[in-house]
Amino acid sequence: MNSPRDTRTTRNHPSGPPMTRRDFVQLSIVGGAMVSLGLAGCDDEPNPNDPSGLGERFTYDLTELSQVDPALIGYQQVALITDALFDANDMQLGPDGKLYVAHDGAIVAVTDGGNIQTHFELDTNPQCFAFDEQGRCFVGLIERVACYDASGTRVALSEPFAGRPHLTSIAVAGGHVFVADAGNRIVHHLDDKLKMIGQIGRADDGSRKTRFVVPSPYFDVAVGPNDTVWVANTGRHRLEQFHYDGTFLKAWGKFSMGIDGFCGCCNPSHFQLLDDGRFVVAEKGLPRVKVCDAEGELLTVIAGPDAFLPDKQAMPGGLSCTRADSPIPVMRPDGKVYVLFPLTGALSLFEPKVTP
Amino acid sequence: MPDETHNPTRRDFLRATVRSGALLTIGGMSVAMFERARGRDWVWQIDPYKCTMCGQCATECVLDPSAVKCVHTFPMCGYCDLCTGYFEPQPNSLNTGAENQLCPVGAIKRKFIEEPYFEYTIDESLCIGCAKCVAGCTAFGNGSLHLQIRRDKCVDCNDCSIARKCPARAISRVPADTPYLIKDGHPH
Ligand code: SF4
Ligand code: SF4
Ligand code: SF4
């Protein structure tokens, strides 16, 4: 199945053939790497690390910040399952233990062998989804939520949310549906018939303002224990916990380009709350996946930038306009971790390193 | 079963961050009128979606400083306090101290709008088109900072010397009445 986005042509160089967006991304990454390695076919070979010759002061260099102390990396990649999930938006484990991905206008099931099967199709590209205990699938469609039963039949559809909705994450438990809306910077609280119960994140001063700062369309939510939810307040580099009634409980997280914090303007881009209270967190910008304890202390790193882009400096301008530049992690109950990088379409499996 | 819903793009999200009165720094003048008045048929243009921010726009232009400037698409901007196009990757603190600023020539101005939002504008008289800020904005932010050849400065070389060097082949000649190719939050 072709994604409408995959087949959209880029603005082409006059002399070039039509190029799909996937071609563009792949060529850009390869092309950038060529520059860095000094292989680009220019008249005079530029210094690969400073093609302009302007010097260090004029060069944006993340090389050092991209490094992760190998001693902190507790996982290793054991399989590249597939590289066909370009531009996927979300990934979850189903109640049947299978891995599901929101990709290409459908929710698809992906096996460890790389077999991709459509679970059900949608008219519009799913942005996010979550399963409940009964196997029903709640799908975020930018401005409203749809619920599908286990056979893929739609059984409920919410009203479009007011304002400028852009749904980016859904979490479901016990008949409660929480929908992170990056456009409105709020978490909607619905029942499982998709009727509004309330909202989480309104400012304490009773105004229409929200407490969430969400500069880019990454805004994740997860259900916690004892009627609580965790929300990624990305612009403040924190994960915040609330009661279902919207009461703020606690938060952790800080800005740092170092591995112990959340980097850039807005992170974490994705997170998973584990049953034992630990968090698997992902960042964009410096694509990193790590595990933190219940208080936010770094426990181990699953994958650093090297695992995703060999040459981070090569990121062309167009790529910042996608919602694809963050890894999406999902830890299985056995501790192995699926990591999807939508920018390249690569889904990999990571396992804890065995220490002798 | 069809979903009775449309599928707005990421552009819609980015537009949701627009602050009232914010205009693109490159201005809203009529390109066609301006170019016709200058008797031009063709102009050189950067495709910001192809640019890989190599820095050669600052050094390869026949003009000094370069005709290439950073422009800012406000509707795409997150108005971040910690703007990665304005600040060094690991700033000491989030203020306008020169040691915190990414731009080597101090061409980006930071203005408080309302807690916690800041607006960033480019002083074109200082900008040399080095793309350092573009790289920072692209790596971590929404990519709202990008480069463009300013038509009021470019002298229309027959063979743009930046285009000859551009490793991304991001520069091409277009009819003079073509609007500036400005990033709009829509991946092409
Ligand atoms: S960093 Fe370079 S491109 Fe950006 S505003 Fe400064 S001089 Fe211009
Ligand atoms: S055409 Fe000439 S003046 Fe214009 S950007 Fe290229 S080199 Fe500079
Ligand atoms: S020469 Fe090309 S790739 Fe380099 S900064 Fe200019 S437009 Fe971008």
Side-chain angles (χ1 to χ4, degrees):
Chain A
M1 185 171 27
N2 281 327
S3 157
R5 288 192 283 172
D6 283 2
T7 52
R8 183 161 51 209
T9 54
T10 60
R11 291 177 196 271
N12 298 303
H13 190 277
S15 59
M19 203 167 39
T20 67
R21 184 154 171 262
R22 175 191 279 263
D23 292 338
F24 166 69
V25 169
Q26 289 173 345
L27 282 172
S28 299
I29 291 169
V30 173
M34 285 171 65
V35 173
S36 167
L37 295 169
L39 299 174
C42 300
D43 311 351
D44 313 313
E45 294 299 331
N47 175 345
N49 298 320
D50 180 17
S52 69
L54 280 168
E56 202 179 301
R57 199 160 71 88
F58 290 82
T59 309
Y60 193 75
D61 188 359
L62 293 174
T63 312
E64 214 168 289
L65 294 167
S66 298
Q67 305 303 316
V68 178
D69 179 354
L72 293 174
I73 302 177
Y75 282 73
Q76 60 188 349
Q77 184 180 339
V78 292
L80 171 63
I81 293 171
T82 177
D83 62 359
L85 295 169
F86 181 75
D87 249 1
N89 276 323
D90 199 1
M91 180 167 76
Q92 303 286 340
L93 282 178
D96 53 5
K98 288 185 188 167
L99 185 69
Y100 292 88
V101 177
H103 178 244
D104 229 0
I107 304 297
V108 299
V110 185
T111 67
D112 282 1
N115 188 20
I116 300 174
Q117 277 193 331
T118 301
H119 181 41
F120 58 87
E121 291 190 353
L122 301 101
D123 272 6
T124 55
N125 213 27
Q127 302 299 306
C128 49
F129 67 103
F131 291 97
D132 72 359
E133 302 84 349
Q134 302 164 37
R136 292 181 298 178
C137 186
F138 295 79
V139 184
L141 303 167
I142 293 273
E143 59 182 12
R144 61 168 111 191
V145 179
C147 175
Y148 293 80
D149 67 16
S151 71
T153 303
R154 197 180 72 199
V155 294
L157 182 67
S158 78
E159 291 297 318
F161 296 104
R164 299 174 181 273
H166 188 115
L167 310 187
T168 49
S169 178
I170 293 190
V172 186
H176 295 268
V177 180
F178 297 94
V179 185
D181 178 348
N184 288 312
R185 305 183 186 103
I186 200 83
V187 174
H188 307 289
H189 180 185
L190 314 180
D191 66 19
D192 61 356
K193 306 280 189 301
L194 303 181
K195 298 287 177 244
M196 184 76 88
I197 295 175
Q199 288 182 321
I200 292 171
R202 284 265 165 252
D204 296 335
D205 61 8
S207 69
R208 295 290 300 163
K209 287 184 186 167
T210 88
R211 60 178 292 125
F212 300 124
V213 182
V214 188
S216 60
Y218 291 97
F219 186 40
D220 229 359
V221 61
V223 175
N226 306 321
D227 294 349
T228 64
V229 289
W230 283 89
V231 184
N233 197 349
T234 57
R236 298 200 188 277
H237 304 93
R238 306 201 311 183
L239 284 172
E240 300 184 345
Q241 189 185 30
F242 299 85
H243 191 270
Y244 279 5
D245 66 10
T247 307
F248 170 76
L249 299 173
K250 64 178 179 180
W252 65 266
K254 64 174 183 184
F255 164 74
S256 173
M257 298 297 278
I259 195 72
D260 59 335
F262 294 129
C263 66
C265 64
C266 39
N267 268 311
S269 43
H270 294 286
F271 73 96
Q272 178 190 10
L273 176 60
L274 304 176
D275 289 344
D276 60 9
R278 290 177 302 151
F279 295 84
V280 181
V281 290
E283 294 164 272
K284 68 185 178 72
L286 293 178
R288 309 189 287 209
V289 181
K290 50 205 186 188
V291 183
C292 297
D293 71 14
E295 308 306 318
E297 287 301 313
L298 178 70
L299 294 174
T300 189
V301 177
I302 294 171
D306 284 356
F308 301 104
L309 286 175
D311 178 13
K312 190 64 184 66
Q313 301 294 315
M315 181 87 94
L319 300 188
S320 59
C321 295
T322 70
R323 202 174 99 83
D325 52 354
S326 168
I328 306 175
V330 169
M331 186 180 279
R332 308 193 317 199
D334 65 2
K336 296 179 184 176
V337 185
Y338 295 111
V339 181
L340 171 60
F341 194 47
L343 199 57
T344 56
L347 171 65
S348 304
L349 184 65
F350 288 77
E351 284 184 10
K353 283 180 183 166
V354 181
T355 40
Chain B
M1 186 191 302
D3 293 305
E4 297 122 25
T5 176
H6 76 282
N7 191 19
T9 65
R10 178 184 156 100
R11 185 197 316 226
D12 296 314
F13 171 80
L14 295 165
R15 284 189 176 149
T17 62
V18 178
R19 299 290 171 278
S20 60
L23 293 170
L24 201 63
T25 44
I26 204 159
M29 67 184 206
S30 163
V31 171
M33 277 174 59
F34 180 75
E35 300 309 338
R36 264 188 236 114
R38 292 187 63 176
R40 285 168 157 174
D41 291 328
W42 297 87
V43 290
W44 291 97
Q45 166 172 273
I46 295 174
D47 183 339
Y49 293 95
K50 290 183 178 172
C51 169
T52 53
M53 299 144 281
C54 73
Q56 292 179 89
C57 272
T59 51
E60 298 303 323
C61 181
V62 296
L63 300 178
D64 185 14
S66 171
V68 176
K69 304 293 173 194
C70 177
V71 299
H72 196 184
T73 302
F74 287 113
M76 287 178 70
C77 180
Y79 289 78
C80 306
D81 185 5
L82 202 170
C83 169
T84 50
Y86 180 82
F87 286 113
E88 283 287 350
Q90 182 80 59
N92 294 327
S93 57
L94 301 186
N95 60 41
T96 55
E99 71 280 11
N100 298 320
Q101 291 187 39
L102 189 68
C103 176
V105 297
I108 308 180
K109 306 302 170 202
R110 167 178 157 103
K111 185 175 135 201
F112 176 72
I113 301 293
E114 64 174 15
E115 176 59 26
Y117 298 108
F118 289 79
E119 184 180 85
Y120 299 90
T121 49
I122 311 300
D123 181 343
E124 285 198 0
S125 67
L126 297 177
C127 174
I128 61 163
C130 73
K132 190 177 181 187
C133 61
V134 179
C137 179
T138 302
F140 293 98
N142 289 338
S144 52
L145 294 174
H146 55 283
L147 295 182
Q148 195 47 271
I149 296 173
R150 293 307 311 263
R151 295 178 191 174
D152 57 336
K153 299 187 171 60
C154 174
V155 295
D156 292 327
C157 309
N158 274 336
D159 187 10
C160 172
S161 60
I162 313 175
R164 263 193 283 137
K165 292 273 185 171
C166 176
R169 303 180 80 194
I171 300 176
S172 59
R173 212 162 203 187
V174 296
D177 58 0
T178 308
Y180 275 116
L181 182 46
I182 295 300
K183 276 178 115 176
D184 58 4
H186 191 63
H188 296 273

